[in-house]
């Protein structure tokens, strides 16, 4: 939680709100990779891309 608070404070002070969508997409893709590793869902993920 501390990282999120510090990151939000950094974005507020430096006015770098354009970093937020990049970080969200990185977290989503990272979570997708972790959740589908060795899973039966993998064939369905490949059809999306």
């Amino acid at each position: 939680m501390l990282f999120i608070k510090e990151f939000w404070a950094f974005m507020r002070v430096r006015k770098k709100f354009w970093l937020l969508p990049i970080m969200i997409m990185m977290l989503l893709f990272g979570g997708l990779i972790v959740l589908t590793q060795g899973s039966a869902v993998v064939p369905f993920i490949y059809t999306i891309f």
Side-chain angles (χ1 to χ4, degrees):
M1 254 343 241
L2 183 62
F3 174 74
I4 294 171
K5 286 181 183 179
E6 286 184 22
F7 186 65
W8 182 251
F10 169 78
M11 286 192 321
R12 260 196 347 225
V13 170
R14 306 262 182 179
K15 305 288 190 234
K16 297 200 181 273
F17 294 109
W18 56 270
L19 288 172
L20 191 60
I22 295 170
M23 292 301 290
I24 291 172
M25 291 305 294
M26 287 177 62
L27 286 172
L28 286 175
F29 279 127
L32 185 66
I33 289 171
V34 168
L35 290 175
T36 60
Q37 191 170 4
S39 173
V41 183
V42 174
F44 300 110
I45 299 300
Y46 287 131
T47 59
I48 293 173
F49 298 106

